């Protein structure tokens, strides 16, 4: 793969095609123009809508507080050609062509920014009243459900499940959340950190049922594996997402175990003149010593800057920019603002700042003396300072760090 990547052409590309019109795709196109790229930029999106941001879908759009979340980008003024409602059907890197429903699209450089797609609940396909929450159309279908204040069953107590349950309770719906694991956010956070969050559901008037699987969904009800039958005017499935890379099968692009594009540290793929960015791609992190697959908004915002720099810089022989961010995301749920920065998998110590039964607290993960990750609930200053400390690798003093009254930046060794 490295040999193939070293063969990237050195001539200036005349046409860059971006497959995917979500945050990563739009930001790539914009970043190319901001850096002075004067060739053709073609942005291809599967949905017919003007490109839009996704986080408001589970909040303002869902609750009818906003009609949409279109990006504030003047594509025409930037000379970015939009081809919307156009599905990608395949890729032929040897021919430098992207296949679409409307025919092949030639490129000098291709950026794969196809994002992720929700995992569907087995056996629920085609059952009336079963919803996903990933697209603008999904949110618009769910908005009248909330307005009618129906009984709602949410399958999955991850980030999206919690955010939807929050919106549904705000709309006055009765909400039951069903989670197969023993706690919410089981795939994202350690048990001791996720444990305080379980109580947030009851505080908001939602029912959380853990250790529980869905046996069957039928119109108007969800049957659980323990024999319980839950009335459900609507069922919302939030059991995760996977990279939307099925159309790359057979293209020769190297994919990982989760179906993600295996990008290198410069966000190049195993195919010449093809980059990948956002939810659809993993990248090797020198900071954390492992490959990361990050399904969060900030990754789709930051990665395009590296891609644009490398596309433009390669013609002039510039040293390629390395992508190695401190991952970051946030979630608004049950009246709390939750923020996370870093990657805690290899941490060897977990320290708390504040009482997790209270409204504001922070968890810090250390590897040796270095802060490698933190989760802040209602403490945005901790997050801002902690993120900078992770980036700098500044040694921390654990005895000072656990004092919630002390600023994190003043808890260094």
């Amino acid at each position: 793969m490295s040999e193939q990547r070293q063969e990237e052409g050195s001539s200036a590309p005349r046409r860059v095609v971006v497959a995917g019109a979500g945050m990563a795709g739009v930001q790539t196109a914009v970043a190319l123009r901001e850096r002075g790229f004067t060739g053709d930029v073609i942005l291809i999106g599967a949905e017919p809508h003007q490109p839009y941001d996704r986080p408001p879908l589970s909040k303002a759009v869902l609750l009818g507080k906003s009609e949409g979340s279109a990006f504030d980008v003047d594509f025409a003024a930037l000379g970015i050609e939009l081809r919307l409602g156009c599905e990608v059907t395949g890729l032929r890197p040897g021919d430098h062509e992207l296949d679409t429903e409307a025919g092949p699209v030639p490129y000098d450089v291709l950026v794969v920014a196809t994002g992720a797609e929700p995992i569907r609940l087995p056996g629920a396909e085609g059952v009336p009243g079963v919803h996903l929450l990933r697209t603008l159309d999904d949110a618009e279908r769910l908005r009248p459900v909330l307005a009618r204040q129906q009984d709602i069953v949410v399958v999955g107590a991850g980030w999206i499940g919690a955010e939807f349950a929050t919106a549904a309770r705000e709309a006055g719906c009765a909400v039951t959340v069903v989670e197969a694991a023993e706690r919410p956010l089981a795939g994202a956070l350690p048990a001791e950190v996720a444990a305080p969050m379980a109580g947030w559901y009851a505080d908001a008037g939602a029912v959380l049922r853990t250790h529980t699987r869905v046996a069957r969904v039928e119109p108007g009800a969800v049957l659980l594996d323990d024999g319980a039958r839950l009335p459900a005017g609507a069922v919302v499935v939030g059991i995760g997402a996977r990279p939307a890379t099925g159309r790359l099968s057979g293209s020769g692009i190297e994919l990982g175990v989760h179906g993600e594009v295996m990008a290198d540290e410069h966000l190049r793929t195993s195919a010449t003149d093809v980059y990948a960015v956002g939810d659809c791609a993993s990248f090797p992190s020198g900071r954390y010593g492992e490959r990361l697959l990050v399904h969060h908004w900030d990754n789709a915002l930051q990665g395009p800057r590296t891609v644009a720099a490398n596309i433009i810089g390669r013609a002039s022989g510039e040293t390629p920019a390395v992508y190695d961010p401190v991952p970051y995301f946030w979630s608004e749920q049950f009246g709390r603002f939750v923020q996370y920065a870093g990657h805690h998998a290899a941490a060897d110590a977990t320290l708390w700042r504040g009482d997790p039964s209270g409204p504001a607290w922070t968890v810090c993960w250390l590897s040796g003396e270095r802060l490698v990750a933190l989760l802040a609930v209602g403490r945005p200053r901790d997050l801002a300072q902690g993120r900078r400390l992770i980036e700098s690798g500044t040694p921390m003093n654990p005895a000072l760090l656990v004092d919630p009254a002390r600023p994190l930046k003043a808890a260094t060794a």
Side-chain angles (χ1 to χ4, degrees), residues 118-122 132 155-158 160-161 178-179 236-241:
I119 297 172
R120 298 177 183 273
L121 183 65
L132 300 168
V155 183
I160 191 65
V178 177
E179 171 57 52
V236 178
V237 179
I239 55 176

Side-chain angles (χ1 to χ4, degrees), residues 75-277:
F75 294 99
L78 290 173
I80 297 169
E81 179 184 345
L82 291 180
R83 298 188 186 180
L84 303 177
C86 184
E87 286 273 4
V88 170
T89 59
L91 171 62
R92 290 173 287 118
D95 297 326
H96 274 58
E97 286 190 339
L98 181 73
D99 290 323
T100 75
E101 289 179 331
V105 180
Y107 62 83
D108 293 321
V109 173
L110 173 69
V111 180
V112 178
T114 49
E117 56 192 7
I119 297 172
R120 298 177 183 273
L121 183 65
E125 289 285 342
V127 178
V130 176
H131 299 263
L132 300 168
L133 182 53
R134 182 74 183 181
T135 68
L136 180 58
D137 288 341
D138 292 336
E140 290 180 343
R141 281 188 289 266
L142 277 164
R143 190 157 56 183
V145 172
L146 268 60
R148 290 192 296 268
Q149 296 185 332
Q150 295 183 335
D151 291 346
I152 294 176
V153 174
V154 180
V155 183
W159 299 112
I160 191 65
E163 289 184 3
F164 178 79
T166 298
R169 285 299 301 140
E170 185 176 335
C173 299
V175 178
T176 300
V177 181
V178 177
E179 171 57 52
E182 73 281 3
R183 63 183 188 275
L185 297 166
L189 296 174
E192 62 179 313
V193 177
M197 299 177 176
W200 297 355
Y201 289 79
D203 292 344
V207 176
L208 173 63
R209 298 184 62 142
T210 57
H211 288 289
T212 306
R213 294 184 178 274
V214 172
R216 188 171 75 255
V217 178
E218 57 187 36
V222 174
L223 280 70
L224 305 180
D225 61 357
D226 61 6
R229 185 179 187 275
L230 305 178
V235 178
V236 178
V237 179
I239 55 176
R242 60 169 62 93
T245 57
R247 300 298 189 180
L248 300 181
S249 178
S251 69
I253 296 243
E254 183 181 359
L255 302 180
V257 295
H258 302 290
E260 80 280 13
V261 178
M262 299 280 282
D264 69 6
E265 67 272 23
H266 310 299
L267 297 181
R268 298 177 300 195
T269 76
S270 58
T272 302
D273 298 324
V274 181
Y275 294 76
V277 67

